[in-house]
Amino acid sequence: MTKFTVNDRPVQYRMDPETPLLWALRDASNLTGTKYGCGTGDCGACMVEVDGEAIRSCLVTIGEMEGRFVTTIEALSRDRSHPVQQAWAAENVPQCGFCQSGMIMAAAVLLKKNSNPSKAAIDEAITNICRCGTYPRIREAIQRAGRVARGEAVLSAAPPPGIDPDDAAKAVPALTPGK
């Protein structure tokens, strides 16, 4: 049994330790914000934060996550108030939306490390693929979120979601709290 923390909750998965983290999150925990894009680590749609690093969840196994802390898009903020989420909405970044959760997670990790990244630093850190080509808006949203994080700007662009994550989690029997 593999034990680690997902979105600040201890979990133990009764799955093969070689199971990709992506599938444990999506199938066992019903955390479907983490997307399956390519399965080869190229696109970044499956990006999550693991111990402060942006990690492509299709490339790591749950066995490798033992004792670690995983954050998915569902836990970035409960009310969409995270500066990256607010800036994403304010800059009209999403088009098809498929890459968005991975992009937002990668951007959030970048801004934790560097709240004032240059466009070159953004390009180096955000290697996710956006098939709609919204890269200029993505760069601007990340820089805007950095200004918010530094206290230089204020945003209130995205409305809160219609369901509380605790209510959604009650319907997920496969997510077994650790003991």
Side-chain angles (χ1 to χ4, degrees), residues 20-101:
L21 175 61
L22 170 65
W23 299 121
L25 295 172
R26 289 185 59 79
D27 294 346
S29 297
N30 200 30
L31 296 170
T32 58
T34 303
K35 303 298 181 200
Y36 172 75
C38 64
T40 60
D42 294 319
C43 75
C46 66
M47 194 75 70
V48 296
E49 180 181 340
V50 178
D51 295 336
E53 298 296 325
I55 302 292
R56 286 164 162 78
S57 63
C58 71
L59 295 180
V60 296
T61 66
I62 61 172
E64 294 173 274
M65 294 297 101
E66 185 77 33
R68 300 182 80 183
F69 292 84
V70 177
T71 303
T72 69
I73 189 74
E74 288 88 352
L76 193 59
S77 72
R78 299 177 77 71
D79 60 359
R80 296 185 189 152
S81 63
H82 190 280
V84 175
Q85 292 169 309
Q86 289 291 308
W88 233 249
E91 294 297 327
N92 295 308
V93 172
Q95 281 191 358
C96 80
F98 195 79
C99 70
Q100 298 308 297
S101 60

